[in-house]
Amino acid sequence: MKKLRMLMAAAGVLFVLCFAACKSTPQENPVPQNEPVAEDPVQIEEPGPDVENEPGEEQDPEPSSGAADANRALLEKVEASRKAAKESGADSANPGAYKAAELEYAALKTAVSAGSDEDLSGALNDLNERYLALSAYANAKAKKDRIDDLDFASYDQSSYDAGSRILDELSNPLSNIAAGADWNKKAISAEGNFDKVLDAAFRSLARTERINAFNAKKNADSVKAAVSRKDEYNKGVEFFTRGDSNYSTKNPEGALSNYTGAKETFERLYAEILEARSKAQGAVEAAKARVSQSEEVAEEADQRSPLGDGEFEGIEDEDAMLLEEDDFSDAESAAQELENSVDATVDEEAEK
């Protein structure tokens, strides 16, 4: 384009000079025939490669042999972002913007598939930013819905309001006129605002739940849960430790979940051990009551029929002799008789 414009300018200058020469008056001293004629001062030269474009002058883009390959590489990038936008639910979160992006995608895909050497990098990069923006928009909208369901807006009202305003702006079809990069920047900002709300809410709830879990642990300690229910008690301690770790690594939602697990574990142990103790104490009290009742029955019977000091059949005095006293006199008589019998026998044998 620049060469053509220079050639046309030079030709115009030559035409003007020739026209002026035809209308001029004859010279008084004509140039001799043998004198050399001056050469035409207008010369048309091809500009060299180092000639720069004049301000405001455009240069025809020259097709690059690598443009087609670059376009295909960019299209693959766009397709990855498009897939992510679809998976995030962008088609339902903002149907208008998603449809507009799809129409542009179809046109560019057709051009790239045809092997066009035209440089489509600008359009493809813009479309890629638009799909990234749609993903951020869908994520921001999902987080806003969660905040609304949990009633968390008051934990960081200013961030919630800022994010909501951006979503309202991007849901307007006129916002699709903006460049993809600008659209993406706003969508990311909206998502970031809702992240602040969720972070503030979960941090506050996690701090409160940690106190509850600690108090529940103190109750479990008061009934010696670490001794009687060691394994379950240790599980509660693990929950508590993980909660502290989550909180320190900026995961307040995970911290809240673990603190809740610790609290519920310690509360259950305390309640179950306390119930078991209550039942055992009840059994002891019941046994005491039975003993007391037996004593009362015996006392009442004694009052109705007192035993007194009289004699009763079948009951002997404490100093009564249950067996007759034996003086062994019969045994001595029997011994004397035996001795007399032996003497008589000896006398008889001597007479013989």
Side-chain angles (χ1 to χ4, degrees):
M1 178 66 74
K2 182 176 179 181
K3 293 178 181 179
L4 179 60
R5 287 181 178 178
M6 293 182 67
L7 289 172
M8 292 179 65
V13 171
L14 180 61
F15 175 77
V16 171
L17 291 175
C18 292
F19 181 77
C22 292
K23 295 186 66 177
S24 61
T25 55
Q27 296 181 359
E28 294 182 357
N29 298 320
V31 178
Q33 295 293 329
N34 57 351
E35 292 183 4
V37 180
E39 295 182 358
D40 192 346
V42 179
Q43 297 180 358
I44 301 176
E45 297 180 358
E46 292 289 334
D50 56 341
V51 177
E52 297 181 357
N53 294 337
E54 296 179 3
E57 192 170 7
E58 297 180 357
Q59 183 177 5
D60 291 341
E62 296 183 2
S64 173
S65 60
D69 293 337
N71 290 339
R72 281 190 289 269
L74 284 174
L75 182 62
E76 292 179 0
K77 185 178 179 180
V78 169
E79 288 174 340
S81 299
R82 176 175 178 261
K83 181 181 179 182
K86 178 73 174 178
E87 292 174 349
S88 68
D91 54 337
S92 58
N94 194 332
Y98 186 82
K99 184 176 181 181
E102 287 290 273
L103 291 173
E104 187 176 353
Y105 168 75
L108 288 172
K109 183 178 181 181
T110 299
V112 173
S113 299
S116 173
D117 285 333
E118 182 181 357
D119 184 5
L120 301 175
S121 60
L124 288 168
N125 283 322
D126 181 81
L127 181 58
N128 186 63
E129 290 285 343
R130 196 167 298 278
Y131 278 124
L132 293 175
L134 285 167
S135 293
Y137 180 94
N139 292 336
K141 190 173 186 300
K143 290 174 181 179
K144 179 182 181 300
D145 291 343
R146 188 183 184 198
I147 291 170
D148 293 340
D149 291 340
L150 297 173
D151 196 21
F152 279 177
S154 61
Y155 286 97
D156 189 346
Q157 192 67 50
S158 60
S159 295
Y160 177 84
D161 292 341
S164 298
R165 284 193 298 270
I166 295 174
L167 286 187
D168 290 341
E169 177 187 349
L170 297 181
S171 64
N172 189 332
L174 294 177
S175 68
N176 296 327
I177 300 174
D182 294 338
W183 218 91
N184 188 26
K185 184 178 179 180
K186 291 181 179 180
I188 291 174
S189 177
E191 184 179 4
N193 278 304
F194 293 127
D195 282 336
K196 290 179 182 178
V197 178
L198 291 171
D199 183 75
F202 283 119
R203 280 187 177 277
S204 177
L205 293 173
R207 287 193 294 267
T208 301
E209 194 71 347
R210 187 181 190 277
I211 295 173
N212 295 335
F214 184 77
N215 291 334
K217 179 181 178 297
K218 288 170 61 178
N219 290 336
D221 291 338
S222 69
V223 293
K224 311 298 182 185
V227 178
S228 60
R229 305 281 288 276
K230 181 178 179 181
D231 292 341
E232 294 168 89
Y233 180 89
N234 288 339
K235 185 176 181 181
V237 172
E238 289 176 6
F239 273 127
F240 196 93
T241 303
R242 284 201 299 268
D244 284 346
S245 177
N246 290 147
Y247 194 89
S248 63
T249 56
K250 302 185 184 303
N251 180 13
E253 185 174 359
L256 174 62
S257 177
N258 279 300
Y259 288 144
T260 300
K263 180 192 71 173
E264 292 176 349
T265 299
F266 293 133
E267 286 180 343
R268 185 181 68 254
L269 288 174
Y270 176 72
E272 291 177 357
I273 293 173
L274 207 62
E275 182 180 4
R277 286 189 175 185
S278 178
K279 288 181 178 179
Q281 185 64 32
V284 171
E285 294 298 332
K288 288 182 178 180
R290 288 193 296 271
V291 171
S292 177
Q293 185 177 9
S294 299
E295 292 176 351
E296 291 176 359
V297 170
E299 183 178 355
E300 183 180 354
D302 188 48
Q303 290 176 357
R304 286 198 306 266
S305 302
L307 296 177
D309 297 329
E311 296 182 357
F312 292 86
E313 184 178 357
I315 300 179
E316 302 290 343
D317 293 337
E318 59 181 5
D319 56 350
M321 183 180 293
L322 300 181
L323 298 176
E324 293 182 0
E325 188 173 352
D326 194 347
D327 59 3
F328 302 100
S329 58
D330 292 341
E332 293 178 358
S333 300
Q336 186 63 44
E337 291 178 359
L338 178 60
E339 184 178 353
N340 293 335
S341 175
V342 172
D343 291 341
T345 303
V346 171
D347 292 340
E348 291 178 358
E349 289 293 331
E351 289 178 358
K352 292 179 180 182

